[in-house]
């Protein structure tokens, strides 16, 4: 039975609350929220960084907002979206290239060569001074070396000439042969410097270079439900899941190395690592060129990574720091095994096994993607789908089962050692490398232990060196150059006008971070409003320029048609 209330004449039920009521007022959007929403819509950074620019000739200062450049949406949506757009461009540009991206470096200039020879002489003098134990001279030469190396960097040479002398030479641990990685059972070829795929010629004579799309997963840790939670949590192997998540980047590195050696050319990739529903990481890659699927499967099956660390089981130790002896001790006050002792024990044990071995799961999915096909956009979108979110936010957790699963995995990640220097080693009765009193066992600062990362602590976007031949900064510059070309402007439109000194060169300026409570720092909302207005003008100008360009083309076409019609 339904009850209907009859409305009194003249008092028909209204849509929404009574005007002027509190409820009605609460329905009105907050002005500040609208500013933020509009800023986001127009791609204006929500947490700009204020930089103070001081003109060193006039002494005038000005605060200039630069975007925060966040890559995660929970920090700044517009910046994260911009970062994703750049990544998409980068992936698209490298995928079906038909030429080698990295041009050979320019030959060294005369100036660069003379700096290198000066550096060589200094190395010689330093060596002599060390031999003669003239330590004050060594210090002087070191200063000179530092200066020359700075000059070398300023001269536009990449990398360093030689490792620095500053650090006292630590005796390097000699690794026993047993702890080296075994070679995979794969054919091995010399890797040619080629990075582009093979060209195929169709019967009609057209040439095409297809590329690939590859997905790789990890092994099963126990059966899971549709929502990713384990059927039987008590039998799900959380320990292996945690170790696998932490070491996954190493496995991927090995895979590319093995693949290149197996196929004999310098295969290039761009891809992402992200959690599956079961919260284990998997990886998607765009690969330039084609590789037979059977080869990809073989290499994946043969690839593994061994972690030669002390084997640990359950965290049982309650370590205490002995400040006098500067060692970590167990509950009875006995010093714990040091890192070196633990490694020596592995070396001496003929039956030692690695602490962990990570391999791929059976699921290796490889597909061809032709140049110019509409699959490209979809796949690039797929690779970049989650990159603006932190790992734990990629899949929405709605059920208690899912929450419990995430919690359980995180608890395991919290106590899994992340590196040789991880405080967690103390939980297993081992002092980590370079142990000190400030370590907090079970609370290591390493990213992989954080709930938000799900153990995927490193970079989530992986792009090989010779993918597009450009860095993200290059791609960013390209995007700006495109807009400038469209607007027909040259020079820095988004920069402040630079005062010129008498000889026409730009006046020297100094940049520093402006502090939020500097008296001339406008309130954040004023800065947002200003940036919003600027961006709106900017966008209008772009649209107008586009219209003009389209109109111009249309007129040109019309004229052409007229001419042809005559
Ligand atoms: Zn931002
Ligand atoms: Zn750690």
């Amino acid at each position: 039975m339904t009850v209907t209330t009859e409305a009194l004449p003249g008092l028909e039920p209204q849509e929404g609350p009574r005007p002027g009521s509190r409820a009605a007022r609460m329905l009105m959007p907050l002005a500040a929220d609208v500013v933020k929403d509009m800023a986001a819509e127009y791609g204006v950074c929500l947490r700009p960084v204020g930089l103070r620019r001081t003109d060193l000739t006039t002494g005038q200062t000005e605060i200039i907002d630069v975007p925060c450049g966040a890559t995660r949406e929970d920090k700044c949506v517009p910046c994260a979206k911009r970062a994703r757009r750049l990544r998409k461009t980068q992936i698209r540009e490298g995928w079906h290239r038909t030429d080698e991206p990295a041009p050979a470096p320019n030959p060294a200039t005369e100036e660069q060569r003379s700096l290198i020879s000066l550096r060589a002489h200094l190395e010689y003098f330093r060596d002599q001074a060390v031999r003669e134990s003239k330590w004050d001279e060594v210090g002087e030469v070191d200063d000179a070396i530092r200066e020359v190396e700075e000059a070398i960097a300023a001269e536009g040479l990449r990398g360093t000439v030689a490792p620095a002398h500053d650090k006292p030479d630590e005796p390097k641990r000699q690794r026993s042969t047993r702890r080296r990685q075994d070679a995979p059972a794969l054919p091995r070829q010399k890797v040619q410097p080629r990075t582009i795929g093979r060209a195929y010629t169709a019967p009609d004579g057209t040439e095409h270079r297809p590329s690939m799309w590859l997905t790789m997963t990890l092994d099963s840790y126990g059966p899971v439900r549709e929502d990713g939670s384990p059927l039987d949590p008590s039998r799900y192997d959380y320990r292996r899941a945690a170790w696998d998540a932490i070491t996954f980047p190493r496995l991927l590195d090995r895979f590319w190395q093995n693949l290149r050696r197996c196929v004999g050319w310098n295969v290039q990739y761009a891809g992402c690592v992200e959690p599956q529903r079961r919260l284990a990481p998997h990886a998607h890659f765009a690969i330039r060129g084609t590789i037979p699927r059977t080869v990809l499967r073989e290499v994946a099956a043969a690839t593994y990574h061994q972690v030669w660390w002390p084997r640990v089981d359950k965290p049982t130790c309650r370590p205490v720091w002995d400040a006098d002896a500067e060692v970590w001790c167990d509950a009875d006050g006995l010093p714990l095994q040091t890192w070196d002792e633990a490694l020596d024990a592995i070396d001496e044990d003929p039956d030692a096994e690695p602490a962990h071995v990570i391999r791929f799961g059976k699921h290796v999915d490889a597909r061809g993607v032709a140049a110019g096909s509409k699959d490209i956009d979809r796949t690039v979108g797929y690779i970049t789908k989650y990159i603006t979110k932190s790992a734990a936010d990629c899949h929405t957790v709605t059920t208690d089962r899912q929450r419990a699963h995430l919690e359980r995995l995180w608890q395991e990640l919290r106590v899994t050692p992340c590196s040789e220097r991880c405080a967690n080693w103390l939980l297993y009765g081992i002092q980590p490398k370079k142990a000190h009193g400030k370590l907090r066992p079970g609370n290591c600062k390493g990213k992989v232990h954080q709930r938000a990362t799900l153990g995927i602590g490193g970079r989530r976007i992986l792009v090989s060196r010779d993918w597009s031949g450009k860095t993200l900064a290059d791609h960013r510059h390209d995007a700006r150059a495109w807009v400038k070309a469209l607007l027909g402007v040259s020079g820095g439109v988004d920069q402040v006008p630079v005062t010129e000194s008498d000889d026409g060169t730009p006046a020297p300026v100094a940049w520093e971070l402006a502090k939020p409570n500097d008296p001339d720092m406008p309130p954040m909302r004023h800065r947002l409003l200003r940036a919003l207005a600027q961006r709106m003008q900017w966008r209008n100008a772009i649209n107008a320029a586009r219209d003009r360009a389209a109109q111009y083309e249309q007129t040109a076409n019309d004229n052409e048609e007229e001419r042809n019609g005559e």
Side-chain angles (χ1 to χ4, degrees), residues 433-469:
K433 194 174 177 178
K434 301 209 164 105
H436 53 84
K438 286 199 187 115
L439 294 175
R440 290 170 67 209
N443 272 308
C444 168
K445 289 268 184 306
K447 259 186 153 184
V448 297
H449 307 301
Q450 290 165 17
R451 196 174 184 275
T453 65
L454 294 176
I456 312 171
R459 285 170 304 137
R460 299 240 312 274
I461 284 279
L462 306 169
V463 181
S464 61
R465 234 182 69 93
D466 297 325
W467 179 254
S468 63

Side-chain angles (χ1 to χ4, degrees), residues 261-293:
R261 282 184 187 152
C262 179
V263 297
W265 54 283
N266 192 2
V267 183
Q268 298 296 306
Y269 58 86
C272 69
V273 177
E274 64 188 33
Q276 294 173 285
R277 267 200 174 280
R278 59 174 182 150
L279 307 183
H282 69 162
H284 301 299
F285 287 104
I287 302 181
R288 178 155 70 234
T290 44
I291 293 157
R293 259 170 251 200

Side-chain angles (χ1 to χ4, degrees), residues 206-486:
T206 53
E207 198 179 72
H208 51 124
R209 288 176 196 270
S211 278
M212 295 192 91
W213 159 247
L214 175 72
T215 299
M216 312 185 81
T217 53
L218 285 168
D219 204 359
S220 167
Y221 310 113
V224 290
R225 291 192 182 83
E226 190 89 320
D227 67 0
S229 66
L231 277 177
D232 181 356
S234 67
R235 299 181 68 177
Y236 190 83
D237 196 343
Y238 282 102
R239 193 169 175 278
R240 200 155 55 87
W243 277 86
D244 271 6
I246 292 176
T247 46
F248 193 45
R250 309 294 297 275
L251 182 69
L252 291 174
D253 277 352
R254 297 233 135 235
F255 171 75
W256 294 114
Q257 198 181 334
N258 291 343
L259 183 67
R260 285 170 178 160
R261 282 184 187 152
C262 179
V263 297
W265 54 283
N266 192 2
V267 183
Q268 298 296 306
Y269 58 86
C272 69
V273 177
E274 64 188 33
Q276 294 173 285
R277 267 200 174 280
R278 59 174 182 150
L279 307 183
H282 69 162
H284 301 299
F285 287 104
I287 302 181
R288 178 155 70 234
T290 44
I291 293 157
R293 259 170 251 200
T294 45
V295 173
L296 287 169
R297 293 225 172 85
E298 253 173 47
V299 176
T303 297
Y304 59 90
H305 171 70
Q306 296 171 320
V307 185
W308 280 108
W309 281 346
R311 280 174 75 88
V312 293
D313 189 26
K314 290 232 152 46
T316 47
C317 181
R318 293 188 164 204
V320 220
W321 174 247
D322 181 339
D324 295 331
E326 299 204 332
V327 284
W328 283 90
C329 299
D330 61 15
D332 301 328
L334 292 172
L336 300 179
Q337 196 178 30
T338 66
W339 183 251
D340 279 340
E341 285 165 0
L343 287 193
D344 286 343
I346 302 175
D347 286 351
E348 282 151 22
D349 177 4
D351 303 320
E353 280 177 32
H356 184 68
V357 180
I358 175 175
R359 293 174 184 280
F360 290 108
K362 284 187 190 69
H363 180 75
V364 177
D365 188 24
R367 266 172 249 184
V369 179
S373 88
K374 57 178 183 298
D375 284 345
I376 293 178
D377 277 350
R378 204 168 44 84
T379 336
V380 171
Y382 202 59
I383 296 178
T384 53
K385 186 173 174 194
Y386 293 117
I387 59 167
T388 60
K389 293 190 158 66
S390 64
D393 294 335
C394 290
H395 304 289
T396 40
V397 173
T398 47
T399 66
D400 285 344
R401 276 204 307 249
Q402 287 172 311
R403 255 187 292 276
H405 179 51
L406 201 158
E407 200 63 25
R408 182 74 188 73
L409 177 62
W410 178 47
Q411 292 306 335
E412 195 64 46
L413 286 165
R414 284 185 66 182
V415 296
T416 308
C418 68
S419 67
E420 298 181 328
R421 299 177 67 170
C422 182
N424 285 345
W425 286 111
L426 294 167
L427 302 172
Y428 306 96
I430 296 165
Q431 302 194 59
K433 194 174 177 178
K434 301 209 164 105
H436 53 84
K438 286 199 187 115
L439 294 175
R440 290 170 67 209
N443 272 308
C444 168
K445 289 268 184 306
K447 259 186 153 184
V448 297
H449 307 301
Q450 290 165 17
R451 196 174 184 275
T453 65
L454 294 176
I456 312 171
R459 285 170 304 137
R460 299 240 312 274
I461 284 279
L462 306 169
V463 181
S464 61
R465 234 182 69 93
D466 297 325
W467 179 254
S468 63
K470 291 177 186 172
T471 61
L472 262 199
D474 295 337
H475 286 291
R476 196 172 295 129
H477 185 264
D478 286 358
R480 280 206 197 117
W482 176 82
V483 172
K484 284 177 194 165
L486 188 65

